[in-house]
Amino acid sequence: MPVSFRSSDSASPMRVLPLLAVSLAMVMNLFACKEKEKEMMKGNFDPEHFATMTTTDVSTLISDSGVVRYKIESPLWLVFDQAKEPRWDFPKGIHLEKYNDMFRVEAEVRCDSARYFQNKQLWRLDGYVEITNIAGEKFLTPQLFWDQRQQKLYSDSFIHIERQGRVIEGYGFNSNERLTQYEVRKVMGMFPASDFKPGMQSPDSVSHAPSPVPVAPDSTHKP
């Protein structure tokens, strides 16, 4: 609260001193209240569960070394940069596009929820995860990890791949970041897309693959 003084010829130092004392007491009391408020806020603040930034209806471009690499769209973006392990949370899902040097979309990601660990440069995608690569191949899984530092994707969960008129299903998945070379660690079935029905048992399904099965976009390898 601002306090002003007006000097006059009739005012004596003895009259001004009490006013100064009262004003000083008011300022000190205000300062003490502010410090107490800060201490209370600090005591109640949990950096693990309290977002330091909340943004709704997000649509933003992310650059790397001055080049736009990603576009992120999400209904809700929570930033926990004061947490022990700083992270971004997208609890209502995310739509992400990854661009190449020509600003062409080389991968598109959609999922029900996502978390990005900033220090590790690691994405964890959960729920209904759908990824489409530059060749138009579609990858479906309930959980996928994207390690930007190592430039790779991986999952230990069920994986469903639709490619070149063929469907591949299995458990465990490794890929490069562009999804141009990948492998299914435990293939459960490979069959024509026209014959595929959700939940079906393929005639040539394999219950246990002896080794990971690499699958490249132009590969004709069968397990």
Side-chain angles (χ1 to χ4, degrees), residues 4-19:
S4 60
F5 295 95
R6 182 176 300 174
S7 62
S8 65
D9 295 337
S10 61
S12 67
M14 296 303 294
R15 294 180 60 186
V16 172
L17 281 176
L19 291 175

Side-chain angles (χ1 to χ4, degrees), residues 83-94:
K84 185 176 180 180
E85 188 169 23
R87 68 185 190 274
W88 300 346
D89 278 359
F90 301 87
K92 294 187 177 180
I94 190 173

Side-chain angles (χ1 to χ4, degrees), residues 43-222:
N44 293 332
F45 177 73
D46 183 357
E48 300 298 328
H49 300 95
F50 187 86
T52 51
M53 185 188 79
T54 300
T55 308
T56 57
D57 299 324
V58 178
S59 181
T60 184
L61 298 175
I62 298 178
S63 300
D64 182 12
S65 302
V67 180
V68 175
R69 294 297 185 187
Y70 310 99
K71 179 181 180 181
I72 292 178
E73 295 179 331
S74 178
L76 180 62
W77 181 8
L78 304 176
V79 176
F80 296 83
D81 57 3
Q82 299 298 317
K84 185 176 180 180
E85 188 169 23
R87 68 185 190 274
W88 300 346
D89 278 359
F90 301 87
K92 294 187 177 180
I94 190 173
H95 173 214
L96 184 147
E97 293 180 346
K98 183 180 184 299
Y99 301 115
N100 60 16
D101 293 337
M102 303 300 293
F103 202 63
R104 181 182 178 186
V105 177
E106 63 179 15
E108 188 173 3
V109 180
R110 297 179 186 273
C111 62
D112 291 337
S113 66
R115 173 170 290 183
Y116 176 66
F117 300 94
Q118 292 175 258
N119 292 342
K120 296 179 180 178
Q121 297 182 30
L122 176 68
W123 285 91
R124 191 188 76 195
L125 313 176
D126 293 295
Y128 181 84
V129 182
E130 178 181 323
I131 304 178
T132 305
N133 66 8
I134 197 169
E137 298 172 329
K138 185 180 293 185
F139 304 77
L140 305 175
T141 182
Q143 185 177 72
L144 186 72
F145 292 89
W146 176 11
D147 189 331
Q148 291 182 305
R149 186 173 294 169
Q150 300 294 326
Q151 297 184 340
K152 66 180 183 180
L153 301 170
Y154 60 91
S155 175
D156 294 325
S157 303
F158 174 79
I159 184 77
H160 171 98
I161 304 172
E162 299 176 7
R163 59 182 296 273
Q164 298 177 344
R166 181 172 289 274
V167 171
I168 305 169
E169 290 188 340
Y171 287 86
F173 173 78
N174 295 316
S175 173
N176 64 351
E177 194 176 45
R178 298 178 61 196
L179 287 167
T180 55
Q181 293 189 5
Y182 46 87
E183 66 178 22
V184 178
R185 294 198 293 271
K186 183 180 178 181
V187 174
M188 304 301 292
M190 293 180 66
F191 36 85
S194 58
D195 295 340
F196 172 74
K197 294 180 181 179
M200 71 176 288
Q201 181 73 19
S202 170
D204 61 346
S205 65
V206 181
S207 59
H208 296 283
S211 60
V213 179
V215 185
D218 58 350
S219 170
T220 58
H221 178 82
K222 293 185 179 181

